[in-house]
């Protein structure tokens, strides 16, 4: 019995050892298979590995770490953006938080000279302008005092045989004038000569901005603002050339000579000032790229957008409609990322002249549309400052000035 039991133990040990050997071999095979088929890495992991391979020495990228007086946690977004932080040996949280939402506002006053003013007159001007003569009585009275006769009002005939203006009847004279006026201005847009020709505007803007640091040296942004513009155009007198000259034959009897014919090749209208209150919007997108050494930096903001202003007082939609481009290079210095000062210039290029559409209602039907080109200083000068007491929050102010422009820009930003 003892021998049988010993054999059973020996047999069981042999089986157990065989099973353990098989399991060990299986683990070795699985390990080899795991080594030959490693788990797939994410795109971010592969990019980080590549950045580590190409990583530059820390001293070659002297980026100053922000030292905010109010300490807050570094958000998770700072580990993903900006891109290339590992390559440039920049620790997450060294730069401001990569994403931002801002409230932006501005107030600007501008004074410009009109370089060129072109207008298109309304239709059926003869009816509108000639209608003024319909209101003149045939026996027009003017106050003239004749001591001998004691009369203060003398009747002066304007039309008829002794008429001052014409020997034609009033109806004939007005009909002829209306006919000539209808054809005089034509239907084309032509340049007008203005005796004054200045434009003053006050523009208020409020809106929102979103931005993202895609790379440590590149910020992408988009803005949308509501605009309120109070504009005054001082025209003075407008001299308008005629496509077809107007001829008027004056009664020679009234002047003691032969009838005189006057030919008008242009007509001057006293316009005075035209005021508009415009409301609309402006949208813009672009990038801000920068280079720096320790606290010093140089940057350039480039953007493009579209602006539309409507004159709702006169039911004119699209009073101004045009695309624009914005370019603003700056230089500055930042103290530990907390306080930043900068100076620079900006240029706003508006494509196409400002056009006023369908002005019949506001001009009594005399002017259908116009286009104006302004003579303005080519750039505006900038000076501003930013204060970030914490990595999540910042405020900035910027002054804008030139010989014909002065204003201020403001921004309150939350970063995450």
């Amino acid at each position: 019995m003892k021998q049988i039991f010993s054999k059973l133990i020996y047999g069981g040990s042999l089986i157990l050892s065989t099973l353990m050997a098989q399991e060990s071999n299986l683990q070795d095979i699985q390990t080899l298979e795991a080594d030959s088929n490693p788990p797939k890495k994410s795109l971010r992991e592969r990019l980080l590995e590549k950045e580590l391979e190409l990583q530059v020495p820390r001293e070659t990228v002297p980026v100053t770490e922000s030292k905010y007086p109010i300490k807050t946690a570094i958000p998770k977004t700072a580990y993903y953006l900006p891109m290339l932080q590992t390559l440039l040996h920049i620790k997450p949280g060294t730069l401001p938080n990569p994403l931002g939402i801002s409230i932006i506002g501005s107030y600007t006053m501008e004074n410009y000279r009109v370089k060129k003013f072109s207008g298109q007159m309304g239709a059926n001007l003869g009816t509108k302008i000639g209608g003024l003569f319909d209101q003149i009585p045939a026996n027009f009275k003017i106050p003239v005092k004749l001591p001998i006769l004691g009369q203060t009002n003398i009747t002066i005939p304007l039309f008829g045989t002794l008429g001052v203006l014409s020997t034609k009847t009033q109806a004939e004279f007005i009909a002829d004038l209306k006919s000539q006026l209808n054809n005089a201005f034509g239907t084309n847009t032509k340049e007008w000569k203005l005796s004054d020709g200045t434009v003053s505007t006050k523009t208020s803007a409020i809106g929102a901005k979103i931005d993202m640091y895609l790379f440590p040296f590149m910020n992408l942004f988009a803005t949308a603002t509501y605009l309120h513009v109070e504009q005054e155009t001082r025209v003075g007198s407008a001299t308008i050339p005629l496509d077809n000259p107007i001829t008027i034959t004056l009664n020679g009897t009234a002047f003691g000579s032969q009838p005189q014919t006057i030919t008008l090749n242009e007509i001057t209208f006293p316009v005075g000032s035209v005021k508009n209150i415009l409301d609309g919007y402006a949208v813009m997108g672009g990038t801000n790229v920068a280079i720096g050494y320790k606290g010093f930096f140089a940057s350039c903001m480039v953007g493009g957008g579209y602006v539309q202003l409507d004159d709702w007082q006169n039911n004119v939609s699209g009073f101004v409609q045009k695309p624009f481009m914005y370019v603003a290079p700056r230089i500055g210095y930042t103290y530990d990322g907390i306080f930043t000062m900068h100076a620079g210039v900006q240029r706003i290029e508006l494509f196409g002249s400002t056009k006023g559409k369908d002005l019949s209602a506001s001009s009594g039907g005399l002017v259908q549309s116009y286009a104006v080109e302004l003579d303005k200083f080519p750039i505006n000068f900038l000076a501003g400052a930013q204060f970030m007491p914490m990595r999540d929050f910042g405020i900035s102010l910027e002054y804008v000035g030139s010989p014909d422009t002065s204003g201020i820009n403001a921004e309150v930003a939350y970063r995450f």
Side-chain angles (χ1 to χ4, degrees):
M1 178 65 70
K2 185 177 179 180
Q3 292 177 347
I4 295 173
F5 184 72
S6 299
K7 289 181 179 180
L8 288 174
I9 293 175
Y10 175 76
S13 300
L14 182 62
I15 293 172
L16 180 61
S17 62
T18 302
L19 290 174
M20 291 176 66
Q22 290 178 346
E23 183 179 359
S24 176
N25 291 335
L26 180 60
Q27 290 177 349
D28 291 340
I29 293 172
Q30 290 175 343
T31 301
L32 291 173
E33 290 178 350
D35 292 339
S36 61
N37 297 297
K40 292 184 177 180
K41 297 180 180 180
S42 66
L43 176 61
R44 170 170 168 74
E45 290 174 333
R46 295 199 300 271
L47 289 175
L48 288 177
E49 288 182 353
K50 192 65 176 178
E51 289 183 30
L52 285 171
E53 294 177 8
L54 302 173
Q55 191 176 53
V56 299
R58 177 68 180 89
E59 59 272 12
T60 63
V61 187
V63 177
T64 303
E65 183 176 358
S66 300
K67 299 177 182 179
Y68 303 106
I70 302 177
K71 306 298 182 182
T72 56
I74 300 174
K76 292 183 178 180
T77 53
Y79 293 89
Y80 295 90
L81 291 171
M83 300 174 65
L84 304 183
Q85 289 185 100
T86 303
L87 173 65
L88 298 177
H89 220 298
I90 300 174
K91 294 181 181 180
T94 299
L95 301 172
N97 291 346
L99 302 178
I101 300 176
S102 306
I103 297 175
I104 56 177
S106 66
Y107 181 77
T108 308
M109 296 184 295
E110 301 166 290
N111 293 280
Y112 302 125
R113 293 289 307 175
V114 176
K115 182 178 180 180
K116 182 179 180 180
F117 189 98
S118 301
Q120 179 183 2
M121 302 300 289
N124 299 320
L125 288 180
T127 303
K128 299 179 178 68
I129 300 177
L132 298 175
F133 288 91
D134 289 326
Q135 303 175 15
I136 300 177
N139 295 324
F140 180 63
K141 292 185 177 182
I142 59 174
V144 177
K145 186 175 182 180
L146 298 178
I148 298 176
L149 302 177
Q151 296 177 322
T152 57
N153 290 307
I154 303 299
T155 298
I156 298 179
L158 299 180
F159 306 99
T161 305
L162 299 176
V164 173
L165 292 181
S166 174
T167 57
K168 296 180 181 179
T169 65
Q170 183 174 3
E172 291 173 340
F173 178 84
I174 294 175
D176 178 60
L177 180 62
K178 288 181 178 180
S179 176
Q180 292 193 68
L181 283 172
N182 284 335
N183 299 318
F185 294 96
T187 58
N188 298 323
T189 300
K190 56 179 67 70
E191 186 175 352
W192 297 7
K193 298 177 182 178
L194 309 183
S195 63
D196 192 341
T198 59
V199 178
S200 298
T201 63
K202 297 178 181 179
T203 304
S204 304
I206 185 70
K209 169 187 171 184
I210 57 174
D211 72 281
M212 173 183 71
Y213 281 97
L214 182 62
F215 302 110
F217 51 83
M218 176 181 286
N219 177 274
L220 303 178
F221 68 90
T223 64
T225 55
Y226 161 77
L227 301 176
H228 176 77
V229 181
E230 297 179 8
Q231 177 177 286
E232 181 178 3
T233 303
R234 288 174 288 275
V235 176
S237 298
T239 301
I240 306 169
L242 303 179
D243 288 357
N244 300 294
I246 295 176
T247 59
I248 300 176
T249 301
L250 298 177
N251 183 5
T253 305
F255 298 95
S257 62
Q258 297 297 321
Q260 300 180 19
T261 300
I262 297 176
T263 301
L264 301 178
N265 295 306
E266 58 185 21
I267 294 181
T268 300
F269 291 98
V271 178
S273 297
V274 179
K275 295 183 179 181
N276 301 100
I277 297 179
L278 309 174
D279 294 278
Y281 66 88
V283 292
M284 181 175 69
T287 182
N288 192 15
V289 294
I291 57 173
Y293 180 77
K294 295 187 177 180
F296 297 94
F297 68 89
S299 67
C300 184
M301 182 182 294
V302 180
Y306 183 82
V307 59
Q308 174 166 326
L309 297 173
D310 306 307
D311 182 2
W312 295 123
Q313 286 187 332
N314 299 298
N315 296 319
V316 181
S317 177
F319 188 90
V320 174
Q321 292 176 312
K322 62 174 60 181
F324 67 90
M325 183 177 70
Y326 178 88
V327 180
R330 299 175 173 90
I331 58 173
Y333 178 79
T334 179
Y335 176 74
D336 289 339
I338 302 171
F339 188 74
T340 302
M341 297 180 293
H342 71 265
V345 297
Q346 73 174 17
R347 177 176 174 83
I348 302 175
E349 183 68 29
L350 299 172
F351 297 100
S353 58
T354 300
K355 297 180 179 180
K357 296 182 176 180
D358 190 17
L359 303 183
S360 299
S362 57
S363 64
L366 298 179
V367 181
Q368 183 173 334
S369 65
Y370 77 86
V372 60
E373 295 181 11
L374 301 176
D375 185 11
K376 54 192 298 187
F377 198 74
I379 60 173
N380 294 327
F381 299 97
L382 307 174
Q386 181 188 58
F387 177 60
M388 290 193 68
M390 54 196 297
R391 67 175 66 253
D392 314 275
F393 176 78
I395 58 176
S396 61
L397 290 174
E398 183 177 63
Y399 172 77
V400 181
S402 76
D404 47 32
T405 303
S406 63
I408 190 168
N409 301 326
E411 178 178 354
V412 179
Y414 170 72
R415 308 205 65 84
F416 57 96

